[in-house]
């Protein structure tokens, strides 16, 4: 028995596995000072586990562990108080990292840990006393390891961490805290772990044979050799601490291999009197380690030592022998002051000039640093300082001081003594005004105070700082501006006022202002001086007027997009050097002639306005880029292409263009146009000849126009064409001359009437082909496909039949998208008409697709649906992981709570945890939509619950109008989130990214950015009505280029959801999107006309088609997939389908007395659809798929000749239950799925229905499980790892059988006793009483009804055919 010194926690270690039981000592409430002992706990093996980590890199590094098993005593003890819990204590291990970015979590395959039961009040000191440890260490997100203070409470740290993530229920927090998977985010160590490469970077040491000098006069001798910092230290082995040491500076020296001696290196210092030491290593590994580290040192030009991100509390003692160190980087450590190698000893570096101590959580400014008078650069960012000591004025040589990310409100006057200080960083502190000490720092030319709390912009204060030229006040709380006098300011040249709350801005007194950033304010008017103005950025305001005087003759860039301007300012027309004008997303109605005729303008962006016409061009202009999309243009100027000879890019999409101007005014065309976007216009075939005038055309988008033909002779002349988009027209063919476009790599022609596959497979550079939603019937392909072909989309071609040979050839394509074969239309399958979806994903100009989607049309027993969108921005790993796991997590959470917000939030948080190590450095936006029956009136309503993090969004079309359902979590669009991140002292870079990584404030993954980036989602819930038409899910790229209204209007009248999703992606690309874009369109049909209940006229098939419904409990409603769903994702998801829970029972009886029982004994309940579900016994109860059969041979379900029970079979009296878990199974190719023969006879009621059994078929690559009938004649029994437990000795009663030839998504027993009219007939039985499994209270009624049926039915005469004993057949109806 193990007795612990403290009563507050229990330790269970692998050292005590031989103990039979374990007792816990607790304080006695009635007698203080006494201790009472609980009853012995179960054997310790219940809490003994070795932590198994399987670090796989199949697109991810994930943390896979076995679930922890608590004994019943431990569970009872935890349930008594939510303040109790457990801490997993890991052992320290040393591992070798494979890359600099590898997490510092030990990479060994087996890292041991044991449990420590404790309370939130248990301090680390008590745990250390019970464990026999000196200290405990905590590690967050596989990153740095910090020593816990004795008073810190480990369990409270875990609970606070989970609470910050978003968990609110204390019971759920307790449950999550004891999940071992949490170790990828937070874990505790009994000893400090460290990686081998980290140790090498800090210090290398060993005892080796050493010879001094280049000649062989000296002998080899055994010495202690240390490589630390910039020096090689050689000393005697015995007197290494007190004896003589030889220090060899290596910076600028060289390291060479000694060829005459194996595994030997020659270390030489720099200079004329260079010394050399030969060191002989014992192994090749040691030789390589020393050579690698020493080579880094000798290659330096200055003496720099980088010890960042090493979890150091002090610098190693040997480092002080490197007296030539000039720059020391200690960023991201836990440096202390009082330790032997702490901050108080850094003054020993006599030549130290640069010191980086950022992100060390010092709390107090180390005054000892003020004694290092040689410092010229000091970085103390993100250390939690609230003030600075006056001694900082002693650093007279200091030139750069970084104090960003602290809590400073004032600066000491002594800071003004630093007259050599030229750079002072004060961003993301708590200053409410510009410190006066700036006036004394005459060498400082920048006021860098972004992310503080300034509310008033005082120009008078800036006027007194004549040395200041640049002012950065972005992300403050500026609301007003104060001008103390009319005196002009001639020294400020640049000002950044982004992301404030200014409404009016008058900077006309800044006559030397050259650059102004004032984006994302609330500006209505802006007044500036034009004497020196060169660039003006004022996007995303409410500007109605912009005044600049005098005319800015030096202005080159003017960006005024997303404002309320009704005309282009006159002064902009007179700017002689203007090159870029962006006035998109305004209220402009005309374009001034002087703007379009400017002789300096290179780029004009005027999209999303109300311009009806463009002025005619008289003279040649140098315009290169023209964007006039989303206006009301009916034609372009006739002289546009003949006068704008430098025009390379033209986007005229989303207008009313019916024709194009000619590029050939007189003779040969001189146009250099390369990119032409004319999507969503009214262009006809008459515009095609004009395209011949653009011989340099590389990208051509003519989607969603009125094209019916594309003349072959015209396409033949576009030899430079690389990308062609003709989707959404009425084309019947693609000209054969497309084979002459040798540079073509992308062809998009979906949603046409194309019936003949174009001759594109001969093109040498073809990569992407989209011919979905056409009328293709066959494909003639060459024997070999081009090696460059990566993506071929043929979905939506309902008449297309691909031969096996064609499929074999296509199998080499990276991404092949084809339709699934339609399911057989039988009485046993009922189509769900409430929703259908279509998905489209396009990679754009990227080489990889970082967007994944999830679609489950039948979710949670077939009464709901789940749709999701995941965008990894630059990584494809996390979106695919979320695609595979999130539906399963949601299914589990739905069982635990009926509150929409609770189960959605928990789904995101658990998915965040399940990302494991892959989620430590990578992140992803996520959007999840769940449709479920309403909780208030579940009989006639559905609820739509939407949750999201990041930038993926969903919009609902209700009565033709968009209803946004999501929230954008980004720094630019969510001021509350931006303020939260600022309060957490994150550093937001100038491109508005948290620590320069992401603009999102909430994501799944990126755990190393905690607490700035959180996984808690925004959740909204709305009841669906008959007015709800469709649901659109899209990623960031889609919504950046399409408004909610435009997206809804674009797809409202498209019949096919796949074509609708394709159209949205095509529009986004034509509108300028070059990134990954994904769109999912879900058509809704919530109304009585979508009902499939029996009461509305649809009836179930007779007994021949199904077993008696009395044998089915809460089975899922079979549905067929939408014909347009297709395989919309290149990734074959492993996400499990909606969990199917069914229990099929049978009553064994004699063949001659079972006919007719189905009609009177147990009446079949009425079939209900998703709109009118039957009242369930529980809410979405998840359980293994169970088939129950009667057996009276023996109590354990075995025949007399059976030797032992079959593994995986649970016996319960006379009921034999075959449990099958269908979690995360993968479907096979649909072509291999057995289907019903067209000529197979329909079973009649008089015969046993032997031809039908059920499997689950996946709807698309994402997942959608349905039940379907299959012919038993085509079944072949197969073995698989997931069903191996069902294979054993065949039982004579047919209870245990192999798997059918379905899609391997559910295991179904295919051999059972013969049945008639829905009941199973077993071999001849002697005891009729044992043949029925009915409730006890119904036994008399059942016997009475059986007797009545026997008396009222005449005995049929057996025919000759009946006398012949049929072969023994079995089947099962699920």
């Amino acid at each position: 028995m193990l007795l612990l010194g403290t009563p507050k926690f229990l330790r269970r270690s692998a050292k005590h596995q031989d103990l039979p039981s374990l007792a816990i000592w607790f304080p006695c409430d009635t007698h203080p000072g006494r201790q009472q002992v609980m009853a012995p706990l179960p054997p310790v093996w219940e809490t003994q586990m070795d932590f198994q980590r399987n670090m796989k890199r199949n697109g991810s590094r994930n943390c896979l562990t076995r679930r922890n098993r608590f004994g019943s005593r431990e569970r009872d003890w935890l349930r008594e108080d939510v303040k109790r819990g457990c801490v997993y204590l890991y052992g320290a291990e040393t591992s070798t990292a494979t890359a600099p970015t590898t997490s510092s979590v030990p990479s060994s395959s087996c890292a041991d840990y044991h449990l420590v039961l404790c309370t939130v009040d248990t301090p680390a000191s008590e745990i250390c006393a019970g464990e026999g440890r000196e200290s405990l260490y905590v590690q967050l997100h596989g990153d740095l390891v910090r020593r816990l203070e004795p008073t810190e409470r480990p369990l409270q740290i875990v609970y606070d961490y989970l609470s910050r993530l978003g968990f609110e229920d204390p019971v759920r927090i307790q449950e999550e805290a004891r999940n071992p998977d949490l170790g990828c985010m937070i874990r505790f160590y009994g000893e400090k772990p460290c990686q081998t490469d980290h140790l090498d970077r800090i210090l290398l040491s060993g005892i080796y044979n050493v010879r001094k000098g280049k000649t062989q006069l000296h002998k080899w001798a055994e010495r202690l050799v240390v490589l630390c910092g910039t020096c090689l230290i050689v000393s005697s082995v015995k007197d290494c601490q007190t004896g003589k040491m030889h220090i060899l500076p290596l910076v600028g020296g060289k390291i060479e291999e000694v060829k005459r001696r194996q595994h030997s290196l020659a270390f030489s210092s720099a200079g004329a009197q260079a010394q050399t030491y030969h060191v002989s290593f014992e192994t090749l590994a040691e030789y390589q380690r020393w050579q690698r580290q020493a080579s880094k040192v000798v290659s330096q030009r200055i003496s720099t030592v980088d010890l960042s991100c090493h979890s150091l509390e002090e610098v190693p003692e040997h480092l002080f022998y490197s007296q030539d160190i000039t720059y020391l980087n200690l960023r991201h450590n836990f440096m202390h002051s009082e330790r032997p190698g702490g901050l108080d000893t850094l003054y020993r570096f006599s030549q130290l000039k640069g010191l980086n101590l950022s992100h060390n959580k010092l709390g107090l400014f180390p005054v000892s640093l003020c004694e290092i008078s040689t410092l010229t650069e000091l970085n103390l960012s993100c250390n939690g300082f609230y003030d600075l000591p006056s001694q900082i004025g002693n650093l007279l040589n200091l030139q750069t001081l970084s104090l960003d990310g602290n809590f400073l409100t004032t600066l000491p006057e002594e800071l003004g003594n630093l007259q050599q200080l030229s750079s002072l960083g004060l961003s993301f502190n708590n200053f409410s005004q510009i410190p006066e000490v700036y006036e004394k720092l005459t060498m400082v030319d920048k006021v860098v105070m972004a992310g503080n709390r300034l509310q008033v912009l005082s120009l008078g204060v800036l006027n007194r700082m004549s040395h200041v030229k640049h002012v950065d006040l972005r992300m403050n709380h500026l609301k007003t501006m104060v001008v103390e006098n009319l005196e002009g300011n001639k020294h400020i040249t640049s000002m950044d006022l982004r992301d404030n709350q200014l409404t009016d801005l008058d900077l006309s007194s800044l006559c030397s202002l050259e650059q102004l950033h004032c984006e994302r304010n609330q500006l209505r008017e802006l007044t500036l001086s034009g004497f020196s103005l060169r660039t003006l950025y004022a996007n995303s305001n409410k500007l109605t007027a912009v005044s600049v005087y005098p005319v800015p003759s030096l202005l080159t860039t003017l960006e005024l997009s997303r404002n309320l301007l009704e005309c282009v300012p006159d002064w902009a027309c007179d700017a002689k050097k203007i090159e870029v004008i962006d006035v998109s997303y305004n209220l402009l109605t005309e374009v001034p002639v002087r703007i379009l005729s400017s002789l300096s303008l290179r780029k004009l962006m005027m999209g999303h306005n109300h311009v009806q016409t463009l002025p005619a061009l008289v003279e040649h202009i140098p315009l290169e880029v023209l964007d006039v999309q989303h206006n009301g243009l009916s034609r372009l100027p006739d002289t546009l292409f003949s006068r704008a000879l430098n025009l390379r890019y033209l986007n005229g999409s989303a207008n009313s263009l019916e024709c194009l101007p000619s590029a050939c005014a007189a003779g040969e065309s001189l146009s250099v146009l390369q990119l032409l976007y004319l999507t969503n216009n009214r262009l006809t075939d008459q515009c095609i000849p004009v395209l011949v005038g653009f011989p340099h055309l590389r990208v051509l988008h003519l989607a969603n126009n009125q094209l019916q033909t594309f003349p072959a002779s015209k396409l033949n002349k576009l030899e430079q064409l690389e990308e062609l988009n003709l989707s959404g027209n009425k084309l019947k063919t693609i000209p054969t001359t497309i084979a002459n476009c040798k540079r073509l790599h992308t062809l998009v022609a979906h949603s046409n009437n194309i019936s003949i596959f174009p001759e594109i497979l001969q093109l040498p550079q073809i990569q992407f082909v989209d011919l979905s939603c056409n009328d293709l019937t066959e494909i003639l392909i060459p024997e070999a496909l081009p090696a460059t072909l990566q993506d071929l989309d043929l979905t939506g071609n309902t008449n297309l039949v691909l031969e096996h040979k064609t499929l074999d050839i296509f199998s080499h394509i990276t991404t092949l998208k084809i339709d699934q074969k339609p399911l057989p239309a039988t009485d046993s399958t009922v189509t769900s008409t409430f929703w259908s979806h279509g998905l489209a994903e396009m990679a754009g100009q990227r080489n990889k697709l970082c967007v994944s989607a999830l679609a489950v049309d039948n979710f949670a027993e077939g009464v709901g649906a789940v749709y999701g969108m995941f965008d990894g921005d630059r990584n494809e790993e996390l979106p695919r992981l979320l695609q595979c796991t999130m539906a399963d997590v949601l299914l589990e959470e739905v069982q635990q709570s009926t509150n929409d917000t609770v189960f959605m939030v928990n789904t995101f948080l658990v998915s965040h945890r399940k990302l494991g190590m892959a989620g430590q450095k990578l992140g992803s936006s996520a959007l999840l939509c769940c449709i479920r029956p309403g909780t208030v009136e579940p009989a006639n309503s559905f609820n739509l619950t939407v949750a999201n993090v990041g930038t993926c969004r969903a919009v609902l079309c209700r009565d033709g109008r968009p209803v946004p359902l999501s929230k954008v979590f980004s720094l630019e669009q969510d001021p509350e989130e931006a303020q939260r991140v600022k309060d957490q002292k994150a550093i937001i870079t100038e491109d508005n990214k948290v620590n320069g990584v992401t603009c999102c404030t909430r994501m799944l993954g990126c755990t190393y950015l905690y607490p700035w980036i959180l996984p808690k989602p925004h959740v909204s819930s709305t009841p669906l009505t008959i007015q709800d038409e469709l649901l659109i899910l899209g990623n960031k790229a889609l919504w950046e280029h399409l408004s909610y209204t435009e997206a809804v209007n674009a797809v409202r009248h498209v019949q096919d959801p796949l074509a609708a999703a394709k159209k949205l992606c095509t529009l986004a690309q034509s509108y300028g999107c070059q990134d990954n874009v994904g769109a999912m369109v879900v058509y809704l049909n919530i109304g009585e006309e979508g009902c499939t209940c029996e009461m509305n006229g649809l009836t179930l098939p007779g007994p021949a088609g199904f077993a008696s419904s009395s044998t089915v409990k809460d089975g899922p409603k079979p549905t067929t997939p939408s014909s347009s769903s297709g395989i919309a994702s290149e990734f074959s998801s492993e996400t499990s389908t909606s969990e199917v829970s069914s229990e099929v029972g049978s009553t064994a009886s004699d063949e001659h007395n079972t006919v007719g029982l189905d009609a009177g004994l147990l009446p079949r309940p009425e079939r209900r659809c998703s709109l009118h579900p039957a009242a369930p016994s529980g809410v979405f109860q998840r359980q293994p798929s169970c088939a129950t059969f009667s057996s009276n041979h023996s109590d354990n379900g075995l025949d007399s000749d059976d030797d032992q029970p079959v593994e995986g079979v649970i016996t319960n009296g006379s009921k034999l239950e075959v449990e099958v878990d269908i979690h995360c199974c993968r479907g096979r190719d649909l072509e291999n799925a057995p289907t019903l023969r067209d000529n197979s006879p329909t079973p009649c009621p008089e015969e046993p229905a032997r031809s039908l059994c059920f499997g689950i078929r996946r709807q698309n690559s994402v997942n959608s499980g349905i039940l379907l009938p299959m012919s038993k004649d085509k079944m072949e029994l197969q073995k698989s790892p997931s069903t191996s437990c069902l294979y054993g000795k065949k039982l004579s009663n047919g209870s245990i059988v192999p798997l059918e030839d379905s899609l391997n998504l559910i295991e179904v027993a295919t051999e059972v006793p013969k049945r008639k009219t829905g009941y199973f007939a077993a071999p001849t039985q002697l005891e009729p009483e044992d043949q029925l499994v009915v409730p006890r209270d119904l036994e008399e009624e059942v016997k009475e009804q059986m007797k009545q049926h026997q008396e009222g039915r005449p005995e049929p005469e057996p025919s000759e055919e009946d006398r012949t004993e049929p072969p023994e057949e079995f089947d099962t109806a699920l």
Side-chain angles (χ1 to χ4, degrees), residues 925 950-951 969-971 992 994 998-1003 1012-1013:
S925 298
T951 54
F969 288 102
S970 69
L971 293 171
N992 264 6
V994 180
T998 176
C999 63
C1000 298
T1001 59
R1002 301 205 180 188
M1003 300 175 67
W1012 309 311
I1013 307 299

Side-chain angles (χ1 to χ4, degrees), residues 1040-1062:
E1040 280 183 344
H1041 296 86
L1042 270 78
S1043 65
Y1044 293 147
T1045 302
E1046 182 178 8
V1048 166
N1049 292 336
V1051 300
R1052 278 191 68 197
H1053 304 294
V1054 180
Q1055 299 296 324
D1056 188 352
L1058 174 62
K1062 291 279 187 180

Side-chain angles (χ1 to χ4, degrees), residues 1170-1183:
S1170 299
L1171 189 63
H1172 305 102
S1177 58
V1179 180
F1180 300 111
Q1181 295 183 2
R1182 179 173 179 169
Q1183 58 186 359

Side-chain angles (χ1 to χ4, degrees), residues 834-835 857-866 894 897-900 903 930-945 1021-1024 1086 1117 1168-1176 1178-1180:
F834 297 109
W835 42 73
D857 286 326
N858 296 308
F859 180 74
E861 300 182 354
V863 294
V866 171
V894 165
S897 175
T898 58
N899 185 282
D900 296 341
F903 72 70
C930 179
I931 303 177
R932 302 172 62 235
T935 56
V936 179
E937 296 180 357
N940 56 6
S941 66
F942 287 101
N943 277 350
L944 172 62
T945 305
S1021 183
T1022 181
L1024 293 178
I1086 308 300
K1117 304 298 185 294
R1168 298 300 185 100
C1169 68
S1170 299
L1171 189 63
H1172 305 102
V1179 180
F1180 300 111

Side-chain angles (χ1 to χ4, degrees), residues 54 56-57 59-64 181-182 184-185 870 875-886 889 907-926 949 1003-1007 1015:
N54 184 11
K56 297 182 178 180
R57 184 94 183 163
S60 70
R61 297 188 308 274
N62 205 348
C63 194
L64 303 176
D181 289 347
L182 195 64
C184 288
M185 294 192 289
F870 314 105
N875 79 89
E876 57 184 345
E877 187 172 345
L878 254 61
R880 293 187 176 185
L881 287 176
L882 294 171
Q883 180 192 43
C884 292
T885 60
M886 211 158 185
V889 175
T907 296
F908 273 68
L909 299 182
V910 172
S911 299
H912 178 73
R913 167 173 57 79
K914 285 181 174 291
L915 292 176
M917 294 179 63
Q920 291 177 350
K921 302 299 181 183
L922 305 177
S924 174
S925 298
V949 292
M1003 300 175 67
L1004 296 184
C1006 278
T1007 57

Side-chain angles (χ1 to χ4, degrees), residues 1208-1220:
V1209 179
I1210 302 175
T1211 60
N1212 180 17
S1214 62
K1215 295 177 63 179
L1216 180 64
E1217 298 182 356
V1218 182
E1219 291 197 355
V1220 182

Side-chain angles (χ1 to χ4, degrees), residues 668-693:
E668 185 178 357
S669 172
L670 301 178
S671 174
V672 295
L673 187 67
Q674 298 181 13
L675 294 89
L676 180 59
Y677 298 90
L678 297 172
T679 293
N680 204 11
N681 280 284
R682 302 175 182 174
L683 299 175
T684 61
D685 300 349
Q686 298 178 357
C687 73
I688 302 300
V690 179
L691 301 177
V692 179

